Amino acid sequence: MADVDSKTKLVVREVACKTILNRSSIDDYSLNCYTGCSHGCAYCYARYMQRFHPHEEPWGAFVDVKTNAVEALDRQLRSARPGEVFVSSACDGWQPIEKERRLTRACCQRLLDCGFRLNVLTKNSLVLRDFDIFDGRPVRVGVTVTTPSDTLRALWEPKADSVENRWDVVRRAHQSGLETSVMLGPLLPFLSDDQRSIEVLLERAGDAGVDVIWFDALNPRPKVWESVHALLQHQFPDLAERYRSVLFAPVVRKAYCEGLHNRVVRIARRLGLGQRLAGCD
Ligand code: SF4
């Protein structure tokens, strides 16, 4: 049974889950209290979830709420070994519906009470609400920023928070004494992967006191190309074929990824941020 939000047209279903704390390739575990994400980013890799949970609605237009998330977690916590939990890997745990449902908050609270560490990554300043339970605990608060331009952000991440609000999240997390991170990615080919954009992004990260900086190229994950291509055709028709090459032509892709990596590393070192780049000297 689905409800449709009269204002946003978001289709919301309540579902039950068997488990909520799952083994992860990123950290020890991942936690996703929702299937689907109303932020609706054009490049979202979590679209692959539709293979396992098919929906009639397009990505970004539905959210399944795992109403028994807290009960499922409590059950798992009786035997789960404490470790680091990535929140969230296949949705944004602080997408707008979390404001009323508060499932991510309740699960984070329980995990911290049971000795787990949290690695938070979001595009929504709603996470500020939960700083009271993060205070003094092993939590790394991170935001994703793919472009310094809020005009581009509005095209590619239409329902996510503004770029400025995301920087505000990490700035305030840092001021609160929490560890912080930023994921600069996917940097948008030919739109936010140029020297100046990268400089601005890294300078902002440095100014906000970010501890760990990740970066990434746009990846050809399943189901991503259709929505990226549709956006390009509509907004940047001249870039559509260049994106296709960067994503799918192996030689072009290799050169592109190497060039991007070298550019980011060079600029980060010049700005004195090389030590903060994850995986780099
Ligand atoms: S915020 Fe993350 S999970 Fe949500 S649509 Fe954007 S990329 Fe996907």
Side-chain angles (χ1 to χ4, degrees):
M1 180 69 177
D3 278 334
V4 182
D5 186 294
S6 56
K7 263 199 214 146
T8 62
K9 307 294 179 221
L10 185 71
V11 177
V12 178
R13 294 182 183 84
E14 298 198 340
V15 299
C17 61
K18 289 197 181 117
T19 59
I20 192 81
L21 191 62
N22 293 308
R23 283 283 168 193
S24 163
S25 57
I26 302 170
D27 285 322
D28 301 321
Y29 304 97
S30 64
L31 178 97
N32 294 279
C33 293
Y34 307 97
T35 299
C37 183
S38 65
H39 286 164
C41 305
Y43 53 76
C44 177
Y45 303 152
R47 278 185 168 74
Y48 76 91
M49 293 298 291
Q50 287 172 294
R51 275 200 298 199
F52 311 109
H53 304 281
H55 288 74
E56 287 168 17
E57 304 83 23
W59 184 257
F62 69 88
V63 177
D64 292 353
V65 179
K66 301 177 187 175
T67 51
N68 66 333
V70 178
E71 293 75 20
L73 180 61
D74 281 344
R75 222 173 24 248
Q76 288 184 270
L77 286 176
R78 286 186 213 129
S79 56
R81 182 193 293 263
E84 187 158 283
V85 185
F86 186 48
V87 191
S88 295
S89 60
C91 70
D92 194 314
W94 287 270
Q95 61 180 294
I97 200 165
E98 165 66 12
K99 188 168 183 187
E100 63 176 86
R101 299 293 180 135
R102 300 169 74 90
L103 292 172
T104 304
R105 176 182 169 90
C107 288
C108 286
Q109 174 103 58
R110 277 169 166 73
L111 287 164
L112 290 168
D113 288 348
C114 290
F116 287 74
R117 304 183 305 281
L118 302 183
N119 185 9
V120 162
L121 189 65
T122 183
K123 291 183 183 131
N124 201 305
S125 57
L126 177 60
V127 72
L128 291 167
R129 175 199 65 186
D130 297 338
F131 278 22
D132 60 335
I133 61 170
F134 296 165
D135 187 32
R137 307 284 193 96
V139 181
R140 180 198 282 161
V141 174
V143 294
T144 302
V145 185
T146 61
T147 166
S149 156
D150 211 52
T151 307
L152 285 176
R153 189 280 310 160
L155 290 175
W156 289 83
E157 304 158 349
K159 302 280 175 50
D161 226 329
S162 68
V163 173
E164 208 48 53
N165 283 356
R166 295 183 214 174
W167 288 124
D168 190 47
V169 166
V170 279
R171 188 183 310 114
R172 289 168 67 173
H174 177 70
Q175 285 166 354
S176 305
L178 293 164
E179 195 183 350
T180 55
S181 71
V182 64
M183 163 54 87
L184 303 177
L187 293 168
L188 304 168
F190 318 117
L191 293 171
S192 68
D193 64 348
D194 58 287
Q195 165 111 358
R196 186 59 197 142
S197 296
I198 293 168
E199 271 170 3
V200 171
L201 290 168
L202 288 170
E203 281 166 2
R204 295 300 305 266
D207 290 347
V210 170
D211 297 298
V212 184
I213 302 169
W214 306 88
F215 64 96
D216 198 15
L218 183 65
N219 285 304
R221 298 270 169 79
K223 291 186 171 288
V224 167
W225 175 240
E226 291 90 332
S227 68
V228 166
H229 188 245
L231 187 150
L232 292 170
Q233 290 283 47
H234 198 240
Q235 299 290 340
F236 308 99
D238 295 349
L239 292 182
E241 284 314 305
R242 295 179 75 192
Y243 267 63
R244 191 193 295 276
S245 297
V246 161
L247 286 172
F248 301 112
V251 175
V252 177
R253 176 156 190 81
K254 186 166 183 290
Y256 174 81
C257 290
E258 282 176 7
L260 180 64
H261 179 274
N262 293 342
R263 198 151 62 246
V264 175
V265 171
R266 191 177 61 246
I267 297 169
R269 286 182 176 154
R270 178 159 52 74
L271 295 174
L273 298 170
Q275 297 292 334
R276 300 195 215 173
L277 269 191
C280 296
D281 295 330

